[in-house]
Amino acid sequence: MDPVIVTGAGPVGLTLALALARQEVPCVVLDEGPGKDEPRPARTVVLREDTVALVERLTGTPLTGLGSRWAGWRSMRRKQVTREVEFGDADPAPLHIAQHELTGVLRAALARETLVKVAVDSRLDGIEQEGSGVTAHTRGPAGTWWRGSYLVGCDGPRSTVRKLQDIRFPGRTAVERYAVATLRTELPWTDEALLHRMPPWRTSGPSAGEIVGRPLPDGVWRLDWLLPPGKELVTPELLVNRVRETLTGWAEGVTPSYELLDTGVHTVHHRLARRWRVGRVFLAGDAAHLLGALGTQGLEEGLRDADNLAWKLALAWHHGPRDALLDSYQEERRTAIAARLRAADQVLPLLRGGGGLRAYVPGSSRGNDALLADGHLGRGALGAPGAYADSPLMPGKLTGETVVGTSPGSPVSDVRVTAEDGTFVRLRDRLGRGALLVVLVAPGTGVWDRKHWVTAGIMPRLAAAVTALPHRAELLVAEAYSGAAAHTVLLVRPDGHLVSAQSGVRPADLYAAAETALGGAAASATAAEDEAEAGAVAGSRR
């Protein structure tokens, strides 16, 4: 079968290609550039724990040494600290990393991947598709025709793929603008990010508002100043003045020495493509959506697009397309992005507006600061990753359904599990392989050798039910899971979202939930029960 064509060699396109290769799907990446990225220290991204785990799983390279995990976060208003957050094992810090460092890790992993071909200096200028595949034409020194089974446009906000498919891209332009500087200096806060609103050295005027400081490795900081509405020209002199003024203010009168590494202006747009799929052509990342009103999180949603789409394309590539499964990519991801855009459009004007009666309500400023901080930290309405509770891949009410600490459709927590070979691994390490995961919560198993409990109790019946599922699945055992009672069975998608939590071993429910999660009509309870129970009986006799 023909490979999947990925247009665009940014972090989203590279991640998608790696994710498909890990599931034994060949890819061609059309890179209109020379195959390397120029370092831009002022272009950085903030990644939550789940997206860090995704990249590390795909590349086999730890990212922590390339970026900064903050010790904490503080919010300030004028001279007062209004909120402090300390990060630890129970509340992992986000990772702040330069985008060229992230792209370099992805490119290095792709260079070792035999299933992926990267075609440099290849600019897409034509797409033709029919029922059996897609043909793409590129121009450049090696201009040619490429044949693929599917094509995914990861080619950025000016996406050629989106334009060739005549997909509208409505939204708002220049929602916010930030002046950005990356510099090496010593600040009063060690490895601690901060949001400073209404700094005392800027007491009036439209520029009084907001500064965000985020540390990077080796004493480097990224500073973002929210600019007033309009088209004010950001000159080098203005940026240098902002740097000196801010450093002097934080150092209480004495300007510390600094080395200015890079500057820029970050303009935030809010746009959402009307369609994310046209036949065998898909959009992902900035080609499908523009968001990130807080400056650094738009890329992270693109990585989630790649994670969501990869396992669905892999299943279609290996086993034939299921339109419901492929359609669910748009339904899940577009809905999640739309929710974040709505939240930003509703909340940000209130946070930025100031004045009015709201300014006189006690505690309102603290609440605003908390909303902004949560957005920066990937929490709350402005920052939390989307859940797929209303996805067509979610099963209806099941007889044995139970409640755990993760709601259906949300990403599962990363817990230690026992794999089928008896080794202890993290649950996230088993994601992205194209298999469903079935996790049994069994307290006490962590202290006993697997051979003592693998054939005891409910394990044989559960193992047989897993074998009878309509798709390859891996059985894992966890000693504990948040909110789960003993003998709870979790069904998890290949991208780590919870399908269902069931009380005990219920083969019919497990089969029906799995079939729905794969985009097929759930089998009737009778048919599923006959097949699954037959397997369970056979397993109990072995």
Side-chain angles (χ1 to χ4, degrees):
M1 191 171 176
D2 295 318
V4 173
I5 300 173
V6 177
T7 65
V12 176
L14 299 176
T15 298
L16 177 61
L18 274 174
L20 288 168
R22 295 292 181 267
Q23 297 173 68
E24 300 182 350
V25 177
C27 296
V28 172
V29 178
L30 303 181
D31 183 356
E32 68 176 47
K36 59 182 180 180
D37 302 278
E38 182 180 350
R40 282 295 313 274
R43 194 176 187 186
T44 66
V45 295
V46 176
L47 303 179
R48 280 170 48 100
E49 193 68 12
D50 62 320
T51 45
V52 171
L54 167 65
V55 175
E56 292 183 339
R57 184 171 69 244
L58 293 175
T59 63
T61 302
L63 296 182
T64 300
L66 301 174
S68 171
R69 285 192 181 273
W70 309 328
W73 170 278
R74 67 172 56 202
S75 297
M76 300 177 64
R77 175 175 284 269
R78 298 184 176 89
K79 291 185 177 182
Q80 183 181 9
V81 176
T82 59
R83 186 184 185 191
E84 291 186 277
V85 176
E86 290 187 8
F87 298 113
D89 292 340
D91 185 14
L95 179 76
H96 186 208
I97 184 171
Q99 184 166 317
H100 68 266
E101 296 280 10
L102 175 63
T103 306
V105 168
L106 292 166
R107 285 191 184 276
L110 274 181
R112 303 187 297 266
E113 182 52 66
T114 59
L115 286 176
V116 179
K117 173 183 175 60
V118 179
V120 300
D121 298 318
S122 297
R123 183 177 182 83
L124 180 76
D125 65 1
I127 298 174
E128 297 178 3
Q129 65 168 310
E130 63 280 344
S132 60
V134 181
T135 304
H137 184 264
T138 55
R139 68 175 186 265
T144 187
W145 289 94
W146 302 88
R147 180 66 179 174
S149 54
Y150 298 93
L151 185 146
V152 186
C154 305
D155 49 347
R158 295 179 176 86
S159 171
T160 300
V161 174
R162 188 183 65 241
K163 293 172 183 175
L164 290 173
Q165 298 303 300
D166 196 25
I167 298 174
R168 293 183 59 205
F169 198 38
R172 298 170 59 208
T173 299
V175 176
E176 291 184 338
R177 290 196 312 149
Y178 294 85
V180 181
T182 303
L183 52 105
R184 182 176 285 108
T185 190
E186 185 174 333
L187 295 182
W189 308 280
T190 303
D191 296 328
E192 191 174 87
L194 72 149
L195 165 68
H196 197 167
R197 306 189 77 198
M198 305 296 291
W201 58 87
R202 298 190 69 85
T203 57
S204 63
S207 301
E210 185 175 308
I211 309 167
V212 180
R214 304 178 182 91
L216 286 159
D218 303 322
V220 175
W221 288 77
R222 169 174 165 166
L223 304 184
D224 292 44
W225 294 267
L226 178 65
L227 295 171
K231 297 183 179 180
E232 175 189 2
L233 180 63
V234 181
T235 64
E237 292 77 14
L238 183 147
L239 263 171
V240 169
N241 287 338
R242 288 289 177 90
V243 169
R244 294 181 62 84
E245 179 185 64
T246 300
L247 297 183
T248 303
W250 283 342
E252 299 184 351
V254 179
T255 306
S257 61
Y258 67 92
E259 177 188 2
L260 190 60
L261 303 176
D262 194 16
T263 62
V265 176
H266 174 61
T267 303
V268 176
H269 308 289
H270 283 177
R271 293 187 179 277
L272 188 62
R274 291 289 191 194
R275 302 178 67 186
W276 291 31
R277 179 193 180 194
V278 179
R280 290 177 174 265
V281 176
F282 298 81
L283 300 178
D286 286 351
H289 52 77
L290 294 176
L291 76 163
L294 303 179
T296 56
Q297 296 172 334
L299 172 60
E300 187 171 53
E301 291 293 3
L303 298 181
R304 293 192 178 108
D305 293 345
D307 196 26
N308 183 288
L309 181 58
W311 73 272
K312 297 172 182 178
L313 280 181
L315 193 147
W317 195 90
H318 287 293
H319 303 290
R322 290 189 178 188
D323 277 339
L325 182 66
L326 296 177
D327 284 343
S328 72
Y329 165 65
Q330 173 179 311
E331 296 181 58
E332 291 179 346
R333 293 302 303 149
R334 192 177 187 279
T335 299
I337 299 299
R340 288 194 62 177
L341 289 175
R342 280 195 302 272
D345 287 343
Q346 293 168 2
V347 174
L348 284 177
L350 302 179
L351 302 184
R352 306 298 194 207
L357 292 175
R358 187 174 288 101
Y360 299 96
V361 177
S364 63
S365 62
R366 287 179 177 270
N368 292 349
D369 292 346
L371 278 172
L372 275 176
D374 283 344
H376 282 290
L377 297 175
R379 303 169 177 173
L382 291 176
Y388 308 142
D390 298 324
S391 167
L393 303 187
M394 295 301 297
K397 184 70 175 178
L398 299 171
T399 305
E401 195 171 25
T402 188
V403 176
V404 298
T406 300
S407 58
S410 297
V412 292
S413 301
D414 190 27
V415 297
R416 191 180 81 156
V417 294
T418 306
E420 292 180 342
D421 62 1
T423 59
F424 293 116
V425 297
R426 304 301 301 182
L427 179 55
R428 283 190 181 136
D429 292 341
R430 314 310 282 187
L431 300 175
R433 303 181 177 202
L436 297 169
L437 302 181
V438 178
V439 183
L440 171 67
V441 180
T445 51
V447 298
W448 295 98
D449 193 292
R450 180 176 180 274
K451 65 183 180 181
H452 296 305
W453 49 260
V454 71
T455 59
I458 64 173
M459 279 296 294
R461 188 163 180 258
L462 178 59
V466 170
T467 302
L469 290 179
H471 184 64
R472 180 169 59 91
E474 181 178 8
L475 176 57
L476 305 168
V477 179
E479 192 165 12
Y481 189 90
S482 175
H487 296 168
T488 296
V489 176
L490 310 177
L491 179 62
V492 182
R493 297 182 353 174
D495 60 353
H497 286 257
L498 181 66
V499 178
S500 71
Q502 301 171 16
S503 176
V505 180
R506 300 175 180 270
D509 282 355
L510 192 62
Y511 189 101
E515 180 70 8
T516 304
L518 298 170
S524 69
T526 302
E529 186 166 5
D530 287 347
E531 181 173 353
E533 288 289 0
V537 171
S540 66
R541 291 174 178 171
R542 286 195 287 270

